[in-house]
Amino acid sequence: SLESPFTPSQQPVADSFVYAFDIDGVLVRGGKAIPEAIQAMKVLNGENEYGIRVPHIFLTNGGGKTEEERCGDLSRQLECDIKPGQFICGHTPMREMAERYNTVLVIGGEGEKCRQVAEGYGFKDVVTPGDIIKHNAATTPFRKLTPKEHADSRERDFDEVVIDAVFVFADSRDWAGDIQIMLDVAMSQGGRLGQRSTTFDQGPPFYFSHNDVVWSAAHEHVRLGMGALRRMFEVTFKDLTGGKGKLHTHAFGKPQVSTFEFASRLMSQWRNTEHGLVAPPETVYFVGDTPESDIRGTNAVNEKAPNDWYSILVKTGVYEDGTEPAYKPRVIVNNVLDAVNHGIQREL
Ligand code: G3P
Ligand code: MG
């Protein structure tokens, strides 16, 4: 590979534009870098014909680990240094909800990871499905806790616990058990598992870190995502309550405009602290693979923002070449390296 003739500190920085990247289906698939992604990062970090560095951030709907841990994984996969100050995952904006609720049920992810993430965000009292199954093993007839899960899960008297909100932080590892527990909470009186509502409109709010029905993993075809879990939960709730119940559900993540606005704030901070830039960028290039999340959200924020949000769709993930994307990007390119070169050619 080409050695940059400059050391990073001497290299000029692009001040008029910035890049934001989706991760799954753009940079990574099934835990491995998409080959062009490694070169794309080098180009952004100054290995281009202008010798210029281009500020960039990452905005994924995925999650399940702390931002620090995710950045460590991504740095290894993409062979460059990626810092939490330039990284947002699906559950990052949930940290702004930590003050609002006392006891929360956190769903998804491996083992105790999401409880740790939630506690790191400042949530005061975090319960997991494991705690509920430990208290009452009959909750999930076909799901037994492993000895490790049993040891990690916390002893609680759920007759005394009031669940104020439910947060689905990451993809469920046990859909049947998790949906069962979510339904029990939704049908309870105000989040008390021991007390069933008769009107089914007294459950706490449910927050999902995103709403992607499918995503791009190692398999040749897309895989079911959190949006599919949400649909199953909502449809089953309706069936069980004869349509008379009421659920309060909300999704964070892309394509929510508030998530892109959150990203915009992180971007100004990152450009400022890392690159000393003060004036906002004229153009934000957003590179994604999912028209319904990435392109829809970028186009929507573009309607409101003072700067130009330029959507780029790649062919390495959810979007299938030759089909008509449900939300139209400004341009469709083969892969993330083409996406980076496209913007640099427009700008320089
Ligand atoms: O679970 C992750 C997935 O739904 C989407 O991740 O990086 O494509 O936004 P990403
Ligand atoms: Mg993606």
Side-chain angles (χ1 to χ4, degrees), residues 22 24-25 289-290 294:
D22 173 57
D24 290 307
D289 69 308
T290 305
D294 303 314

Side-chain angles (χ1 to χ4, degrees), residues 94 97 100-101 103-108 123 127-129 132 162-170 172 175-193 196-197 200-211 226-227 229-238 240-241 245-253 256:
M94 286 176 169
M97 313 281 286
R100 195 182 297 185
Y101 301 107
T103 301
V104 298
L105 170 64
V106 163
I107 306 272
F123 282 97
V127 304
T128 67
I132 294 168
V162 176
I163 295 168
D164 296 310
V166 180
F167 286 87
V168 184
F169 262 55
S172 168
W175 285 44
D178 287 347
I179 291 175
Q180 179 67 69
I181 288 169
M182 288 161 71
L183 288 167
D184 285 341
V185 176
M187 293 164 77
S188 73
Q189 278 183 36
R192 290 170 195 84
L193 277 172
R196 274 272 147 142
S197 171
F200 303 124
D201 58 355
Q202 297 168 295
F206 285 73
Y207 297 97
F208 295 81
S209 67
H210 67 84
N211 198 33
M226 193 184 294
L229 179 98
R230 179 182 177 181
R231 291 287 286 273
M232 290 180 192
F233 166 61
E234 289 175 346
V235 168
T236 315
F237 178 82
K238 210 169 163 201
L240 291 178
T241 61
K246 182 125 190 61
L247 272 182
H248 303 277
T249 59
H250 176 81
F252 289 86
Q256 300 293 325

Side-chain angles (χ1 to χ4, degrees), residues 22-24 60-62 171 210 212 215 254 289:
D22 173 57
I23 295 181
D24 290 307
T60 177
N61 274 351
D171 284 304
H210 67 84
D212 291 345
W215 64 298
K254 300 167 290 180
D289 69 308

Side-chain angles (χ1 to χ4, degrees), residues 27 41 45 56 58 67-68 70-76 78-87 270:
L27 300 168
M41 291 301 119
N45 288 324
H56 53 279
F58 303 87
E67 285 77 2
E68 287 74 18
R70 275 301 296 258
C71 286
D73 294 346
L74 202 55
S75 299
R76 274 187 296 280
L78 301 180
E79 301 174 16
C80 62
D81 188 22
I82 292 161
K83 300 198 181 79
Q86 61 185 143
F87 181 87
W270 175 252

Side-chain angles (χ1 to χ4, degrees), residues 323-341:
T323 62
E324 196 56 38
Y327 295 86
K328 308 273 168 298
R330 298 276 274 276
V331 64
I332 302 179
V333 299
N334 284 327
N335 56 56
V336 64
L337 180 57
D338 291 349
V340 166
N341 287 330

